[in-house]
């Protein structure tokens, strides 16, 4: 991984922060990325490295990866504020905001709370929070089990049920490439991430979202059913929906070429062109 990684004290929290190319000239604003629940920086490092013509910044949530455990619970408001403070520390006035799954909810909240820092918004395999259509019950029960992070045999056995989709390089590659980058969250870190979004929904305010938004969903996602992307599309005025055929919950990794091409198409388009495409 080619990122510069540091431990930063921000808003009373210590966070492990990864930065790619922030000191290099670019015609594009950096990407601020919010990861899925329990996931560490390394899980999405391949995406950051592929988007090599712009900066990229992300951090391990408290109690995940190598960020220390949180001492008190946090909320979407406090973590969005913390992320904004982190951007200021590195002199980033405006970013494209992206989030996957749990992090997609954080990305929505950040864009609503800090519109002046947000240029465009990318929501991947995510929902409007509590007002969502639940996924496959078998996937949900296994997803709630932290063994999926700490027990490779459990992950191997239940990978298809958890994540769905098909990797063009085969099921073994799909599992190995993902499991090898995971570091289990602490029990407290995992619990606090679950608590953070308890009762949260963006649905009432999404009609007031002014940011150009790309919604990306996998049509074989067992955790976040595709209909949730259609709901987001209906709620967000200036949005477009891209459905990845054969994509499960991890289509950013298993269908990387298609995902990155769509990301570039959206992020690099002038604002008026993106609005017309919506």
């Amino acid at each position: 991984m080619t990122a510069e990684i540091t431990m930063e004290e921000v808003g009373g929290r210590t966070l492990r922060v990864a930065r790619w190319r922030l000191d290099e000239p670019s015609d594009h604003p950096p990407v601020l990325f919010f990861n899925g629940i329990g996931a560490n920086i390394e899980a999405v490092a391949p995406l950051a490295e592929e988007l090599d013509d712009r900066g990229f910044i992300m951090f391990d949530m408290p109690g995940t990866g190598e960020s220390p455990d949180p001492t008190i619970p946090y909320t979407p408001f406090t973590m969005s504020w913390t992320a904004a403070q982190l951007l200021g520390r590195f002199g980033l006035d405006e970013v494209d905001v992206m989030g996957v799954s749990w992090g997609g909810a954080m990305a929505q909240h950040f864009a609503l709370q800090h519109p002046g820092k947000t240029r465009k918004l990318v929501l991947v395999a995510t929902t409007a929070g509590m007002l969502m259509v639940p996924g496959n019950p078998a996937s949900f029960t296994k997803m709630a089990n932290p063994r999926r992070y700490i027990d490779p045999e459990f992950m191997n056995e239940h990978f298809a049920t958890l994540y769905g989709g098909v990797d063009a390089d085969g099921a073994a590659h799909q599992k190995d490439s993902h499991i090898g980058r995971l570091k289990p969250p602490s029990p407290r870190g995992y619990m606090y991430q679950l608590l953070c979004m308890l009762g949260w929904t963006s649905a009432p305010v999404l009609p007031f979202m002014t940011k150009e938004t790309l919604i990306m969903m996998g049509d074989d996602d067992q955790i976040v059913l595709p209909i949730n992307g259609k709901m987001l599309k209906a709620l967000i005025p200036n949005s477009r929906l891209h459905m990845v055929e054969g994509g499960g919950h991890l289509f950013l990794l298993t269908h990387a070429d298609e995902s990155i091409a769509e990301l570039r198409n959206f992020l690099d388009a002038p604002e008026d062109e993106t609005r017309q495409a919506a």
Side-chain angles (χ1 to χ4, degrees), residues 236-259:
I236 302 174
N238 192 13
S239 63
R240 55 195 280 188
L241 173 63
H242 179 80
M243 196 70 67
V244 176
E245 185 175 349
H249 200 58
L250 300 177
F251 66 80
L252 273 183
L253 303 177
T254 62
H255 295 65
D257 290 346
E258 177 182 349
S259 299

Side-chain angles (χ1 to χ4, degrees), residues 220-251:
D220 192 34
D221 192 335
Q222 302 298 304
I223 295 173
V224 179
L225 297 183
I227 191 173
N228 289 289
K230 296 177 181 178
M231 292 169 61
L232 288 172
K233 171 70 175 70
L235 288 167
I236 302 174
N238 192 13
S239 63
R240 55 195 280 188
L241 173 63
H242 179 80
M243 196 70 67
V244 176
E245 185 175 349
H249 200 58
L250 300 177
F251 66 80

Side-chain angles (χ1 to χ4, degrees), residues 15 41 51 55 62 64 92 98 107 124 137 141 146 149 163 171 208 220 226 231 239 253 270:
L15 299 174
I41 286 167
L51 291 172
T64 68
L92 304 177
M98 182 176 180
V124 179
T141 55
Y149 291 104
Y163 295 112
F208 304 100
D220 192 34
M231 292 169 61
S239 63
L253 303 177

Side-chain angles (χ1 to χ4, degrees), residues 140-186:
F140 260 75
T141 55
K142 293 177 178 63
M143 185 180 181
N145 190 334
R147 282 183 65 198
R148 70 189 179 108
Y149 291 104
I150 62 178
D151 186 346
E153 290 185 8
F154 181 88
M155 174 70 90
N156 275 317
E157 181 181 353
H158 299 295
F159 195 92
T161 304
L162 270 168
Y163 295 112
V166 176
D167 189 329
D169 293 327
H173 172 264
Q174 177 169 333
K175 289 186 288 189
D176 293 345
S177 63
H178 182 62
I179 294 171
R181 289 192 295 269
L182 287 178
K183 179 176 181 178
S186 72

Side-chain angles (χ1 to χ4, degrees), residues 191-214:
M191 179 179 67
Y192 280 13
Q193 270 197 285
L194 289 172
L195 289 174
C196 176
M197 292 297 173
L198 188 64
W200 179 91
T201 180
S202 58
V205 293
L206 284 182
F208 304 100
M209 174 76 75
T210 59
K211 303 302 175 183
E212 296 174 15
T213 304
L214 171 64

Side-chain angles (χ1 to χ4, degrees), residues 37-40 59-69 184-186 189-190 193:
I37 190 166
N40 50 305
F59 56 91
D60 285 335
M61 282 287 173
T64 68
E66 295 181 23
S67 287
D69 270 357
S186 72
Y190 193 69
Q193 270 197 285

